[in-house]
Amino acid sequence: MAIVKLEIGVIFLIQMGVGILGNFSLLRLYTFTLLTGQNVRPTDMVLNQLVLANSFVLLSRGIPQTLAAFGLNYFLNEAECKLLFYFHRVARGVSLSTTCFLSGFQAIKLYPNLSKWLELRMRSPKCVSFSCFLFWILHLLVNIFVPMKVTGPMNSKNLSVKINYGYCSSLNPDRFKRFLVAFLFFTIDFMCLGLMAWASGFMVLFLHRQQTASPTHLHQQSYL
């Protein structure tokens, strides 16, 4: 059993190390680009926020899980557990929302024919910063209840109504609260995933039509 935990810990450590190294390299690149203002694209701000959110996810969940896999338990107090779970949920939500926003932004930039879409396309770079800021505020408010149910691992009272994560624990809510929370997060995730699927499908169909129309257009020009 100890060997299995050691192997799991090594796997977690490698994955976390590669993820943190890659995310922090990208975060440094996009932050440097935004600070210098050289060759800044509208998507650079979105990508910067996406990498920042992914880095928070890795730090808030990867490090504790890796330490717990190596057998280090009870290294966080109750306040640290609350902050850890709260920022993990916030960063996860921001990552998903930013990915959805990026997919929609790319789809809009790809279709300049309709006047309403063209107007949105021209105004979209100006609202990128505001949208990224709004995502953080939204998920900070949506996940405000998360610290209320998270407790420290040392709190061993009423273990039957607690969920143990190895380094922290949380209260197991009743059926109604569990359904309400699941419905809230499912709705947000479903909307984001649906918009991403629509944007991806639209871009694939648009590029496919452009590719099939190009040989016909070139064939017509050869007769002129």
Side-chain angles (χ1 to χ4, degrees), residues 114-130:
L114 297 179
S115 58
K116 293 183 179 180
W117 287 50
L118 180 59
E119 182 182 359
L120 183 59
R121 177 182 178 231
M122 295 174 63
R123 293 175 55 188
S124 56
K126 300 178 182 179
C127 68
V128 169
S129 300
F130 176 75

Side-chain angles (χ1 to χ4, degrees), residues 56-205:
F56 274 120
V57 171
L58 286 172
L59 292 176
S60 61
R61 182 54 65 91
I63 293 179
Q65 282 190 341
T66 302
L67 294 177
F70 280 110
L72 299 176
N73 297 322
Y74 313 116
F75 53 89
L76 296 174
N77 56 34
E78 185 170 349
E80 292 170 344
C81 285
K82 291 179 181 294
L83 289 175
L84 196 71
F85 273 72
Y86 179 59
F87 281 111
H88 172 260
R89 292 297 311 183
V90 171
R92 177 193 175 277
V94 172
S95 177
L96 184 60
S97 301
T98 308
T99 305
C100 174
F101 179 74
L102 181 62
S103 300
F105 186 86
Q106 291 173 339
I108 292 173
K109 297 284 287 185
L110 197 63
Y111 196 87
N113 293 333
L114 297 179
S115 58
K116 293 183 179 180
W117 287 50
L118 180 59
E119 182 182 359
L120 183 59
R121 177 182 178 231
M122 295 174 63
R123 293 175 55 188
S124 56
K126 300 178 182 179
C127 68
V128 169
S129 300
F130 176 75
S131 299
C132 294
F133 175 76
L134 189 63
F135 291 149
W136 285 99
I137 297 298
L138 174 64
H139 288 284
L140 283 171
L141 295 176
V142 169
N143 295 279
I144 195 66
F145 68 92
V146 173
M148 301 178 184
K149 67 174 185 177
V150 177
T151 60
M154 296 299 293
N155 295 336
S156 58
K157 299 178 181 180
N158 298 327
L159 292 177
S160 60
V161 296
K162 288 179 178 294
I163 302 175
N164 186 20
Y165 298 100
Y167 50 93
C168 293
S169 60
S170 64
L171 298 175
N172 192 9
D174 55 39
R175 183 176 299 179
F176 175 75
K177 291 181 180 180
R178 189 162 57 244
F179 172 78
L180 186 62
V181 171
F183 177 77
L184 176 62
F185 285 119
F186 174 79
T187 302
I188 297 175
D189 292 352
F190 181 78
M191 290 177 59
C192 291
L193 292 174
L195 289 173
M196 282 191 289
W198 172 83
S200 301
F202 171 79
M203 288 188 287
V204 170
L205 290 177

